[in-house]
Amino acid sequence: MWLWLLKEMIERGCEPDAVTYTAIIDALCKDKLVAEAVNLFSHMKNKAISPNVITYTCLIHGLCNLGEWNQARALLKEMVGQNISPDIFTFNILIDSLCKEGLVSNAQSIIKIMIQADVEPDVVTYNSLMDGYCRRSQMDKARKIFDLMVQNGIVNAFSYGILINGYCKSKRIDEAMQLFDEMPQKGFLPDTFTYTTLIQGLWNAGKPRAAQELFKNMCYHGYQPNIITFSILLDGLCKQGDLDEALTLFEAMERSQLKPNHVSYTILIDGMCKAGKLHDAKEFFSRLFEKGLQPNVYTYGIIIKCLCIEGLLVEAYKVFRGMKDGGCSPNGCCYNVIIQGFLRHGDVPKASQLIEEMIGKGFTADATTAKLVMHLLPNDDLILRKLQNQTEGSKGVNVK
């Protein structure tokens, strides 16, 4: 549409200027049509229309979103060569994108260019760099950046959230809690993201009571839990076998404006299956559809496995075949689950049929399926040979 508009302008004798080209390049990048934006950028320069800092920034942003770091850095170098000074926004886009990909050393080199261009790094720059180190679990380096920000008086609440998240993911929960407790003393209030991060960290650290107390503290202070907060709590409660409390929490979600999504249902269905409550799991699986929610392949895999364990193979097969009609085609995991169900319950012909089908779709037998086949179908040379061909040269299990 944008290129058509540009063509229409030219045909009507209205020559586009730098502002017009920049607007269209920006729109193309936002529509993820970056190749078209790059071509238009080249066309613009060929027509001797000089791009400005905004043009370059839009294109760098689009390239970063596609992971085209080298091309983005080349554009930055081109800008400087054309005596077009990148602004703080230009630098921060590139630095943030590199850090999110874990390319912190590359981001550091951009910061050096930034300083040489007399552009002072700001809180966004440092937050991006700190986040990059956190993503690489280099928490000591992340802490140094944080301390430098404190020293320079540019730390903000988001800075605390980033470092707390990094500590939680690195399972350094005590340091995360220490930072959390420090926030109000420094004049910063935690947000829902920070609370949710810590609740997850406490569950992962094996401190469920502390996680639940923090959730209560969050609600008491007027912070609205989001769907991720609820999902973390549901998952933790189900994993520790406290299904009654998980159901109470789920019902509270349903009464609130924040409605459970398919992830919430999947967590409960999984917990019910593991607790041997197949009837309840089936009921919640049906409720998914009643609520207009679409189960994903993981949800289907859980309920199919549960039905197979209970020996309800006809019902499991019906759910398996109904996946495609429900807009969710089975993947290799689902095939392996139902094949294992039929093998374990002695229905070798149906298992063989599904193995053939699975192989035909390009999915691979996992270790459990391969072992069951070797044990139960030792004389089926065709199936064994096909599974052997699948696993040769890969990390699969050798079935011979």
Side-chain angles (χ1 to χ4, degrees):
M1 182 184 81
W2 303 111
L3 296 177
W4 173 85
L5 179 62
L6 185 66
K7 183 181 178 183
E8 189 75 10
M9 284 180 66
I10 295 170
E11 288 177 354
R12 293 189 180 191
C14 181
E15 283 298 321
D17 58 9
V19 175
T20 308
Y21 274 104
T22 298
I24 295 175
I25 286 169
D26 182 44
L28 288 169
C29 287
K30 285 176 179 175
D31 289 341
K32 298 183 180 179
L33 301 171
V34 181
E36 289 84 344
V38 170
N39 289 336
L40 186 59
F41 181 74
S42 299
H43 177 74
M44 174 186 182
K45 291 191 292 182
N46 290 338
K47 294 197 67 158
I49 299 172
S50 299
N52 56 31
V53 63
I54 301 174
T55 319
Y56 276 102
T57 300
C58 292
L59 202 51
I60 287 171
H61 197 182
L63 288 165
C64 284
N65 286 339
L66 288 184
E68 299 290 345
W69 320 118
N70 290 333
Q71 201 170 347
R73 288 166 67 189
L75 271 181
L76 182 68
K77 187 176 179 180
E78 181 183 307
M79 280 181 77
V80 176
Q82 295 291 328
N83 292 320
I84 300 171
S85 299
D87 58 18
I88 187 72
F89 187 62
T90 314
F91 281 113
N92 281 344
I93 286 171
L94 188 50
I95 290 165
D96 185 57
S97 298
L98 288 167
C99 287
K100 281 178 178 172
E101 290 298 315
L103 304 171
V104 187
S105 58
N106 292 17
Q108 287 276 24
S109 67
I110 299 298
I111 290 176
K112 288 179 182 177
I113 297 171
M114 183 179 182
I115 293 169
Q116 290 168 1
D118 293 324
V119 178
E120 190 68 26
D122 63 3
V123 63
V124 176
T125 318
Y126 285 116
N127 277 344
S128 295
L129 192 60
M130 183 168 58
D131 184 50
Y133 283 126
C134 287
R135 287 170 185 267
R136 294 171 61 88
S137 298
Q138 295 176 296
M139 295 310 301
D140 292 341
K141 289 185 177 181
R143 182 68 199 223
K144 283 182 180 178
I145 297 294
F146 180 83
D147 291 340
L148 178 64
M149 293 172 72
V150 172
Q151 183 182 332
N152 292 337
I154 59 170
V155 71
N156 60 14
F158 191 55
S159 313
Y160 275 92
I162 290 170
L163 194 56
I164 287 170
N165 187 40
Y167 278 133
C168 286
K169 288 184 175 177
S170 298
K171 298 183 179 179
R172 293 164 66 169
I173 193 66
D174 291 339
E175 288 160 286
M177 286 302 300
Q178 185 179 350
L179 266 182
F180 179 77
D181 293 337
E182 180 186 302
M183 287 183 73
Q185 300 168 20
K186 299 295 183 180
F188 299 109
L189 293 175
D191 57 10
T192 298
F193 169 77
T194 309
Y195 270 106
T196 301
T197 298
L198 263 177
I199 290 167
Q200 175 78 80
L202 287 165
W203 276 115
N204 291 344
K207 298 182 177 182
R209 287 186 181 179
Q212 289 169 274
E213 282 301 316
L214 188 60
F215 176 73
K216 291 175 183 176
N217 178 280
M218 176 184 182
C219 297
Y220 177 79
H221 285 94
Y223 292 94
Q224 178 62 45
N226 58 26
I227 196 71
I228 298 172
T229 320
F230 277 112
S231 295
I232 289 167
L233 282 165
L234 280 174
D235 187 53
L237 290 167
C238 287
K239 282 178 178 174
Q240 69 179 25
D242 200 345
L243 280 177
D244 289 339
E245 192 161 350
L247 280 167
T248 300
L249 181 65
F250 185 86
E251 288 163 3
M253 288 175 68
E254 289 190 308
R255 289 193 300 270
S256 72
Q257 293 181 346
L258 190 67
K259 300 301 179 185
N261 60 10
H262 77 276
V263 175
S264 315
Y265 276 93
T266 300
I267 290 168
L268 266 181
I269 291 167
D270 187 41
M272 290 167 177
C273 284
K274 287 175 179 173
K277 296 188 175 184
L278 176 59
H279 177 76
D280 293 333
K282 286 166 63 177
E283 181 187 333
F284 267 79
F285 185 70
S286 298
R287 281 171 62 180
L288 260 172
F289 297 95
E290 292 168 8
K291 297 289 184 181
L293 298 172
Q294 174 63 54
N296 60 16
V297 69
Y298 181 65
T299 319
Y300 275 108
I302 290 168
I303 201 72
I304 290 168
K305 183 176 182 179
C306 191
L307 290 166
C308 287
I309 288 171
E310 295 296 323
L312 301 171
L313 297 178
V314 173
E315 194 171 347
Y317 187 73
K318 184 179 178 182
V319 172
F320 178 78
R321 287 305 182 199
M323 288 182 68
K324 193 171 182 180
D325 293 337
C328 182
S329 296
N331 62 3
C333 181
C334 288
Y335 270 100
N336 277 283
V337 164
I338 197 160
I339 287 166
Q340 289 164 27
F342 280 114
L343 286 172
R344 286 193 173 105
H345 288 87
D347 193 339
V348 173
K350 181 62 75 175
S352 299
Q353 175 196 329
L354 284 166
I355 290 170
E356 291 273 6
E357 186 178 313
M358 178 180 73
I359 293 171
K361 290 183 178 291
F363 298 126
T364 307
D366 64 18
T368 303
T369 302
K371 287 176 183 177
L372 285 169
V373 168
M374 284 189 290
H375 179 66
L376 297 169
L377 304 173
N379 299 318
D380 195 328
D381 292 336
L382 181 60
I383 291 292
L384 287 169
R385 191 161 54 249
K386 285 186 176 181
L387 290 181
Q388 174 68 34
N389 291 338
Q390 271 198 317
T391 56
E392 279 181 352
S394 72
K395 293 181 180 179
V397 176
N398 192 324
V399 299
K400 281 289 187 184

